[in-house]
Amino acid sequence: MVAAGALISGTGTNLQAIIDRIAAAQLDCALRVVVSNRAGAPGLARAEAAGIPTRVIDHRGFARREDFDRALVAALREAGVELVLLAGFDRLVTPVLLAAFPLRVMNIHPALLPSFKGLDAQRQALAYGVKVAGATVHFVDEHTDHGPIIVQGAVAIDPDDTEDEVRRRILAVEHEIYPLAIQLFAEGRLTVEGRRVIVRGPRPPLPPPLVHW
């Protein structure tokens, strides 16, 4: 079982998906702490309802990003965290955090990376006119939405879809693939070779191709 800590800034729906999988004994993960940089983040209430310790570390109290990350590292280490989960965390992490948890910081992004990095990925995808969008779980490196990809999930996009509809569809995929990536890590099945994440051991058969027009 892997000891994890989650960093959040908002509603915490991905955090809730992880909590639910743990409660159902479908995820070999123990959430040791949930840290938010925003005191009013609804995700804190989700953690507290599940009996998970919470911390608020307001980034505005630090002159430099690196100093903020040092405070995060201290809180995560105090809780005995092995794996750091960015779950709707709105701060760019620095090498301070990455060096403390090398290849042990995961993020989920609502796009099929390397397409549509950064903010408003769903809006970017719609504006570009893609037929297929999705979500990506990846290890975090020093560049935004760039690290080695662990798992991706895809959804079809219809011409009359709204941004909210696309967001909800992708979010449902996020709630499936983030726990999967964590479980693969917990089982020791992930090896990083350059930009590739190799998944060792048995895997489900490939699904049929998603074709949409």
Side-chain angles (χ1 to χ4, degrees), residues 5-211:
L7 304 183
I8 67 168
S9 299
T11 58
T13 62
N14 271 301
L15 173 66
Q16 188 66 58
I18 295 165
I19 291 171
D20 291 345
R21 293 295 180 92
I22 293 171
Q26 297 174 344
L27 182 55
D28 296 327
C29 174
L31 278 172
R32 301 295 190 196
V33 67
V34 172
V35 183
S36 176
N37 63 313
R38 301 187 184 280
L44 290 170
R46 296 178 186 271
E48 290 163 359
I52 301 166
T54 62
R55 291 280 302 273
V56 175
I57 303 177
D58 192 333
H59 63 278
R60 295 172 297 181
F62 299 86
R64 301 168 64 243
R65 289 182 183 273
E66 291 81 2
D67 295 334
F68 173 61
D69 277 9
R70 287 187 185 93
L72 292 179
V73 169
L76 293 166
R77 283 180 169 165
E78 182 182 345
V81 166
E82 303 168 83
L83 177 66
V84 181
L85 306 172
L86 307 187
F89 189 57
D90 65 7
R91 306 296 296 172
L92 296 176
V93 301
T94 71
V96 170
L97 180 67
L98 299 178
F101 298 94
L103 288 177
R104 288 182 288 141
V105 181
M106 283 186 189
N107 182 49
I108 187 154
H109 181 70
L112 294 173
L113 293 176
S115 299
F116 312 123
K117 298 178 180 181
L119 299 175
D120 299 319
Q122 304 93 331
R123 184 178 304 167
Q124 292 183 60
L126 275 178
Y128 200 85
V130 299
K131 307 298 184 183
V132 176
T136 302
V137 184
H138 64 97
F139 286 116
V140 178
D141 64 12
E142 64 273 19
H143 304 293
T144 302
D145 300 327
H146 176 270
I149 291 170
I150 304 168
V151 183
Q152 291 183 301
V155 298
I157 303 297
D158 287 334
D160 56 350
D161 277 343
T162 66
E163 184 179 337
D164 283 344
E165 288 168 337
V166 172
R167 191 181 305 276
R168 284 194 297 270
R169 204 173 303 145
I170 291 176
L171 194 59
V173 172
E174 292 180 39
H175 295 169
E176 294 295 322
I177 66 174
Y178 212 173
L180 171 58
I182 298 165
Q183 182 63 27
L184 292 172
F185 183 96
E187 293 174 1
R189 295 177 59 188
L190 302 180
T191 301
V192 180
E193 298 180 0
R195 280 213 51 83
R196 299 184 65 199
V197 177
I198 309 301
V199 180
R200 301 192 305 274
R203 302 173 62 174
L206 288 174
L210 174 58
V211 178

